[in-house]
Amino acid sequence: MATTTIPVSRATHDRLAELAKEQGLSIGQLVERLADQQLTAAQRAERVAADREVIRSLFGVDISDGEFEEAPDVLGNIHKIAAEKVRAAARGTAA
């Protein structure tokens, strides 16, 4: 396997070394694992297209990509509501 050097700050190197040690990995293995967990823009687009096809199939309705784009961000809204409830609980108030 060919290797390469990636210049990073000393602080970043030390953090990577600590994270790798905690997981029983080398820094190279940790970086590979981190890279493998990230999707490229093309992979995200493929996943979105596939998810939309599943939704179209399940609902039996031909929803255009434009209609998907105009739809509210339900999951994003749920995350916002949950975050506000956590913040309110931390403050000791009801959301």
Side-chain angles (χ1 to χ4, degrees):
M1 168 178 62
T3 61
T4 189
T5 301
I6 303 171
V8 296
S9 68
R10 172 54 63 187
T12 298
H13 176 272
D14 293 346
R15 174 114 169 104
L16 289 170
E18 181 179 353
L19 291 168
K21 183 178 179 182
E22 288 175 356
Q23 297 178 38
L25 302 170
S26 68
I27 293 176
Q29 289 169 322
L30 176 68
V31 170
E32 285 178 15
R33 184 176 285 179
L34 293 171
D36 288 343
Q37 293 172 349
Q38 301 300 310
L39 297 177
T40 65
Q43 290 169 320
R44 284 190 302 277
E46 287 175 18
R47 190 170 284 183
V48 166
D51 290 348
R52 288 177 178 181
E53 285 306 312
V54 168
I55 291 170
R56 290 176 179 123
S57 175
L58 289 173
F59 286 99
V61 179
D62 187 22
I63 302 170
S64 72
D65 285 341
E67 290 169 318
F68 274 108
E69 296 299 325
E70 293 172 9
D73 180 8
V74 176
L75 185 56
N77 289 336
I78 290 170
H79 286 160
K80 288 176 189 174
I81 292 166
E84 180 54 36
K85 288 188 178 288
V86 168
R87 285 191 293 273
R91 291 188 306 261
T93 61

